[in-house]
Structures are given as structure tokens and as C-alpha cells.
Amino acid sequence: MTIRILSETIASQIAAGEVVERPASAVKELIENAIDASATAIAIETSEAGKRLIMVTDDGAGIPAEELPLAMSRHATSKLQSAEDLFEIHTLGFRGEALASIGSVSRLTLTSKPEQQLAAYRISMDGGFIGQAGSVPAPTGSEVRVEDLFFNVPARMKFLKSDSTENRQITGLVTRYALAYPQIRWSLTMDQRLVFRTSGSGNQMEILQELFGAQDSKQLLPITFSEREISINGFVSNLSLNRSNRKDITFFVNGRWVQDAALTAAVIKAYNTLLMVGRYPVAVLFIELPARQVDVNVHPSKAEVRFRDADQVFSALQRAIRRGLLAFSPIPELNATNLWGRQAALGENERELGQPGVGDSWTQPGAAQVPQREQNYLPIERLPLLRLIGQVAATYLIAEGPDGLYLIDQHAAHERVLFDQLMAQYHAAAVPTQALVQPVSVAFPAEKAQTLAQQLPALRELGFEVEEFGPNAFLVRSVPAVFSAGDPKAVLQALVEDFEEDEEPLAAEIEAKIAGRVCKRLAVKAGKVLSESEQKALLLNLEASQSPRTCPHGRPTMIHLSAALLERQFGRTGAI
Ligand code: ADP
Ligand code: MG
């Protein structure tokens, strides 16, 4: 094979692969351009998850007519003059390749008018081919329409996730940029539906509510920190607000959203020993430092940065957060119990069970794997018939079997029993439901609402009749009969978190996830005194289970003290 130079079209499609990975990456480039143009209002509109249309309109500086063809060319930028500038970047863009890249994998139309220019001009690019510019009526600013994204690269099309997942990516992105630039008026419309808008008042609290919901945003503590050349501002969660994943830790470095594992690790470390194992804080942090201290040219989509003195940044970050947490702590020492605030805010039953960190273990592969794997390898191991001895500490049941003593965790055991019941009903497609006397309405921030909307069919199969009700709100009409005494709001909130973690859970896992959540909420708590007949019923049901030894999240339901072990412990082995 002979070596040939790639045609301009193929070369830019290859380059586009780095910059435009999915619709959200195109949206990111376009809004960064609008911010660089000093826009005071940015409107984003999409249809079919950005595959049919992405349109970004701004009221910024605009592009002079004669520069339109240049704006569309690769390596054409107004933001860099010399190689030296590359080490001191004050704009979000600088590579001069976004418009060219997007235009090579879509049908792009750019309409723009600087204030002084009388008419607006429009130019288009179709799969990499630039058309003629012509004048059109339009207001000052720019409008970029991207239609049929990836129409000429079907391979890339195949890598896209479902529409709701792509929509969620876009919503998460736009909300975060809105938060970083609260002086800009933002609006996001998807398939003709207004997802959110901001007032441009500069009030970040207002936007935090969009991102995290009214309830959670009240639990955020402000951070203000500055030391030598670094300043850190933003919000971090107090200890009663935490998540099972790291997705709600967000950074902006000099106004640019970056995803950086080391920064994330520094934040988590600041909470060291304050949060239970496997729980993560919520944080939105804006780090500002001299442009020369950051190399932003390390990643094609500029999602990563490199710090000249990374240790200095990480240590500042940790101190900023620790100080922020201390400032709101009622006592001077960092004392976990006090920082927790209300006990109840902990939710769930982890504390009642006195087993920090294990309550949610099924959502953390590390913790959950061992028992689950065992479950798969072991043949079904039913319990022998057990004789109930009684309850201790209002938490455990003690029973005797032919082969020794059993200590049973009443909460975990009950979870297992409920889970088996609910899954059996589900597999028989006969989950008895209970209509709520008063339908319950639950509202979520846009991104979370989209996560939930995706799972409504699965919820329905498990007896939750939930319908969309206005933007980002849901109405719960009925619940599975076993759950009739439960709190539907709380379980939906917990479910959203579970699903957030797993972008596209396997179909087979969805129902088990939902059922697991429901049962966890429902199962009798540790600390509850059970009547003798309740204790007996629990044992009987557990005996009937096919996997009685673990709860649905993989934790053990019981400890077995075998006759042999007891003998050994008492030194009876070999004794007469
Ligand atoms: P970069 O942002 O890296 O310079 P782009 O391909 O994104 O490269 O844009 C090329 C040029 O087009 C920019 O440098 C800028 O001058 C101009 N431009 C793009 N979008 C806008 C906009 N919304 N408003 C004003 N000018 C823009
Ligand atoms: Mg750009």
C-alpha cells in the first residue's frame, strides 16, 4: 500500500471524532463559543436528543461577514495570536476546530451579525463542504444550527446511547454552565419543551436548585477561600447530604468545566472519616488561578487540564473544604456525630443497624461482590427447619437448627423475604397494587427527572403507577400492595440515585434494583421489638427462600455457629 495524504474531508472527520463525541459535546463547544463572545443570553434548543437539531443562539459579539468562511475552517480562531499565547489562555476556545469539526459531521448553518454591521450573514456547511455566504435578516449575535448530526458517519451514530441518556448529558452540561455563569440568561428547550431557564440575576442559589432540587440545595455550604494565587469558591454538601456515586462533584477551573479524577479524589479526601464508606459528597467548586499555572491544551475537548503545581491545588482544595465544613460545625472539633446534624437526615437504616457503610453496599461493586459471587457459585442452599429461641437487642433472632445455632439479622432477613415475594409476583406478572387515596406528587431537577422518566415502564411492572405531570414532576397513583405503608417519595428519590450511577442498566437488573430499594425501605428496622408470632413468621418465610443467607444487596442475613465450632470454642473437641 502506498502512503497518501488524507483528503481534507476525511482528515476533518477524524479530527471531529475527538471533539464531537456525542450531541452534548457539540452543545458544549457551541455554548463555549457564545460565552467567549460575551453573550448575556444563551438559548439552547434540541430535538431528538440533538441528533435531529441542536440550535444555540446568543446575543454576543457576532462574526463579521467577511470572516464567516474562516470561522468554519479548521485551525481558524480569533482567540490565539502566537504560540506563546497558548501558555496563557483566557478564553474557553482556542483550538479553532469546533465549528469545522461539527460542520464536517452534520449540516451546520451559522448566522451572525456584529452590532455595527447592518445585516446579518449566513453561511452553511454540509458534511464538510462550505457553501456561499448570503445576507439574511437577524438580530445582533450568532445562531448556530446543527442538523442531522453524524448523518455521514453512521458508525458514530451507533455509539450513541438512548435519547433519554443523551438528553440527560445535555441537561447536566447546560445546568452546570448556567451555574458557572449565573450572569448569563440561559434557557434550554428540548423537543419543544422548556427544560429550564435562568434569570441572569447572578444568583447561584437559584440555579443550584435547578441542579440539585430545593431540598438538597439547602444542605449545601458555601466555600470561599483564597491563598496566594489560588481562589476557590462554590458549594459543598454538609454531612447529611451525600450520594452513592461521585457524579455530583463538579469543577470549573478558570471558568472551564473539567472532569478530573485527581481533583475529585481531593474532595473526597477532605471528607475522610466524616462520610460512611461508599458515600460521596456533593460539590460544585470554582477554582481560579493565573492562566499560566494551568495547561488547558491537553485534551481535544478540553475536559482535562494540567496544573503546573498540582499538589498546591489539591492541598488548597482540601483545606478550603475542611474549613468550610468546620465553619458550619457546631463544635470546634471535626466530630462525625455532630456534623451529621439530625440523625434522621441519615435516612435508611444504616445507623439503626450500627453498621456504617454496609447499608448501600449493593450499589458498590467492591463491597457487594463477595457475597453475590458466592451466591452464584453455591447451589441453592435452603435453611434447615429452625426452632426459634427468641429475639436479642430488638435486632437479632436466635434460632437452633440440627447443625448448631443461628443468629439472624431481622432487617436483612425481612428484606430477603420481601424481595423474594415481590420478585415472584413480578415474574408471575401479578404484582398486587394499591391505589393511593391521594396521588403523591414528586418533583425533581431536570437531569434527575429524565433519569426517572426512563424507568417508568419498569416501575409500572412492579406496581408503581407513576406518570409524568408537568415539567420535571411526577404523580404517583398507586404502589405495590406490600408497599402501601411506605413513603413513595423517598423510594423514588433513592431509585433516581441508583439509576444515575448506572447510565444504562441491563434490563434484567432494573427490576431487581427497584425491588431491592423498595424492600430496603419496607423491611422491619433493627431496634424494633417483634412479637413471638412475628418472629416465627419471619423464620418460616426465610426457610422458604432460595437464597436465605444473604439480603438482596448481598449482605449476610445470618451468622451460623455450627455445633462443631461451638465444641471447638468450648474446648470440647475430643472430650467425653
Ligand atoms: P475556537 O473557539 O477554538 O476559536 P471555533 O471553531 O469554536 O474555534 O470558532 C472559530 C471562531 O469563530 C472563533 O474563534 C470565533 O472568532 C468565531 N465564533 C464562533 N462562534 C461564535 C459565536 N457564537 N459568536 C462570535 N464568534 C464566534
Ligand atoms: Mg470554540
Side-chain angles (χ1 to χ4, degrees):
M1 290 234 242
T2 44
I3 300 178
R4 271 174 296 167
I5 292 190
L6 294 176
S7 77
E8 181 59 23
T9 326
I10 300 180
S12 48
Q13 280 187 12
I14 293 175
E18 295 187 321
V19 182
V20 202
E21 188 195 340
R22 62 201 306 181
S25 21
V27 175
K28 173 169 178 285
E29 294 295 336
L30 299 179
I31 64 186
E32 286 188 349
N33 279 346
I35 295 169
D36 281 344
S38 313
T40 66
I42 302 177
I44 299 108
E45 211 179 310
T46 65
S47 75
E48 290 173 29
K51 290 180 280 191
R52 175 93 216 63
L53 171 76
I54 296 170
M55 182 163 91
V56 176
T57 315
D58 68 61
D59 63 350
I63 306 169
E66 65 277 11
E67 289 182 16
L68 281 178
L70 259 186
M72 303 285 243
S73 319
R74 211 136 59 89
H75 309 306
T77 178
S78 57
K79 303 170 192 175
L80 273 190
Q81 307 287 334
S82 66
E84 189 51 24
D85 290 351
L86 205 47
F87 299 99
E88 186 149 1
I89 287 177
H90 296 278
T91 49
L92 297 173
F94 57 88
R95 298 171 62 103
E97 58 183 7
L99 289 180
S101 292
I102 299 170
S104 74
V105 293
S106 70
R107 305 182 218 279
L108 185 151
T109 315
L110 166 61
T111 310
S112 197
K113 175 179 131 36
E115 193 159 19
Q116 280 79 9
Q117 195 174 290
L118 289 175
Y121 277 77
R122 170 171 292 170
I123 190 168
S124 50
M125 193 161 170
D126 194 324
F129 297 99
I130 302 184
Q132 289 293 315
S135 91
V136 286
T140 297
S142 304
E143 176 201 277
V144 184
R145 285 178 73 92
V146 177
E147 286 166 283
D148 304 327
L149 185 63
F150 300 136
F151 79 94
N152 54 352
V153 267
R156 180 139 309 254
M157 201 70 176
K158 287 202 196 92
F159 279 98
L160 295 186
K161 303 272 176 72
S162 67
D163 280 9
S164 44
T165 301
E166 297 298 337
N167 272 339
R168 238 193 302 145
Q169 292 284 332
I170 297 173
T171 309
L173 172 96
V174 177
T175 337
R176 283 177 176 82
Y177 267 91
L179 188 64
Y181 295 90
Q183 274 87 7
I184 296 178
R185 267 180 296 129
W186 295 84
S187 75
L188 173 64
T189 309
M190 292 177 146
D191 299 311
Q192 321 277 339
R193 205 176 67 112
L194 180 69
V195 177
F196 84 92
R197 70 147 56 105
T198 68
S199 67
S201 68
N203 181 348
Q204 280 182 314
M205 217 4 138
E206 188 186 298
I207 307 158
L208 280 175
Q209 289 177 4
E210 285 292 342
L211 193 55
F212 299 117
Q215 204 61 30
D216 285 358
S217 42
K218 281 197 204 112
Q219 317 254 36
L220 294 173
L221 310 173
I223 297 287
T224 40
F225 177 93
S226 97
E227 197 181 83
R228 281 181 289 167
E229 295 179 305
I230 302 181
S231 83
I232 298 172
N233 291 287
F235 302 87
V236 299
S237 53
N238 67 16
L239 301 185
S240 39
L241 175 65
N242 53 74
R243 304 271 201 244
S244 58
N245 60 61
R246 304 156 201 242
K247 289 204 170 157
D248 280 331
I249 303 178
T250 304
F251 302 98
F252 279 80
V253 175
N254 289 351
R256 182 191 308 279
W257 183 16
V258 301
Q259 277 131 309
D260 185 303
L263 286 176
T264 305
V267 171
I268 294 170
K269 216 166 156 203
Y271 282 79
N272 196 14
T273 73
L274 298 176
L275 290 182
M276 288 184 288
V277 177
R279 302 298 298 181
Y280 301 95
V282 174
V284 189
L285 293 159
F286 302 96
I287 304 172
E288 302 282 335
L289 69 176
R292 292 202 153 262
Q293 304 279 347
V294 205
D295 186 358
V296 290
N297 190 25
V298 290
H299 191 268
S301 65
K302 300 161 289 179
E304 288 166 20
V305 295
R306 203 171 288 144
F307 296 105
R308 187 175 276 185
D309 187 351
D311 286 344
Q312 191 197 355
V313 177
F314 299 154
S315 108
L317 193 55
Q318 287 188 22
R319 274 173 296 129
I321 296 172
R322 279 269 171 179
R323 265 185 223 172
L325 288 173
L326 273 174
F328 284 85
S329 150
I331 49 153
E333 291 284 274
L334 272 186
N335 175 324
T337 338
N338 283 288
L339 268 172
W340 280 113
R342 289 176 305 125
Q343 275 256 104
L346 250 177
E348 308 290 348
N349 26 53
E350 285 90 333
R351 277 190 81 82
E352 291 145 281
L353 281 166
Q355 289 194 328
V358 291
D360 271 331
S361 61
W362 70 305
T363 56
Q364 307 142 28
Q369 255 158 21
V370 178
Q372 237 142 44
R373 231 186 277 131
E374 260 171 31
Q375 228 176 2
N376 294 341
Y377 289 159
L378 291 174
I380 292 167
E381 205 189 338
R382 286 187 189 272
L383 287 181
L385 291 182
L386 299 178
R387 181 177 71 87
L388 176 72
I389 297 172
Q391 191 186 22
V392 280
T395 300
Y396 308 104
L397 302 187
I398 300 183
E400 183 192 9
D403 51 351
L405 205 64
Y406 288 79
L407 201 56
I408 296 160
D409 178 321
Q410 66 189 36
H411 172 75
H414 195 208
E415 258 185 281
R416 162 54 66 194
V417 166
L418 289 170
F419 182 82
D420 285 5
Q421 276 172 6
L422 193 55
M423 287 309 274
Q425 291 168 348
Y426 163 74
H427 287 302
V431 180
T433 64
Q434 164 92 55
L436 299 176
V437 185
Q438 192 85 52
V440 172
S441 72
V442 193
F444 287 99
E447 195 182 350
K448 295 188 195 298
Q450 287 162 2
T451 306
L452 184 63
Q454 215 172 343
Q455 305 302 345
L456 293 186
L459 278 166
R460 190 158 306 130
E461 307 234 331
L462 275 155
F464 284 96
E465 205 188 302
V466 181
E467 61 192 53
E468 288 186 76
F469 170 66
N472 308 329
F474 298 85
L475 210 55
V476 187
R477 293 199 176 277
S478 51
V479 295
V482 286
F483 194 67
S484 51
D487 173 5
K489 223 180 222 174
V491 84
L492 286 189
Q493 265 152 2
L495 275 171
V496 166
E497 253 185 68
D498 290 345
F499 287 120
E500 243 174 1
E501 191 165 344
D502 205 351
E503 268 203 358
E504 306 245 292
L506 298 175
E509 291 171 354
I510 294 175
E511 284 75 20
K513 251 185 180 188
I514 298 174
R517 249 318 156 181
V518 169
C519 297
K520 178 171 175 155
R521 287 261 155 199
L522 205 58
V524 57
K525 302 287 184 281
K528 182 162 191 305
V529 177
L530 301 180
S531 72
E532 197 180 325
S533 62
E534 287 171 327
Q535 298 172 30
K536 277 193 174 140
L538 184 52
L539 267 196
L540 270 177
N541 284 324
L542 196 61
E543 284 167 14
S545 171
Q546 299 207 331
S547 9
R549 289 167 202 271
T550 53
C551 82
H553 316 131
R555 275 196 288 132
T557 54
M558 60 181 65
I559 295 170
H560 177 203
L561 304 172
S562 68
L565 175 81
L566 292 174
E567 276 178 13
R568 251 197 331 274
Q569 292 292 320
F570 285 110
R572 297 182 63 88
T573 336
I576 304 160

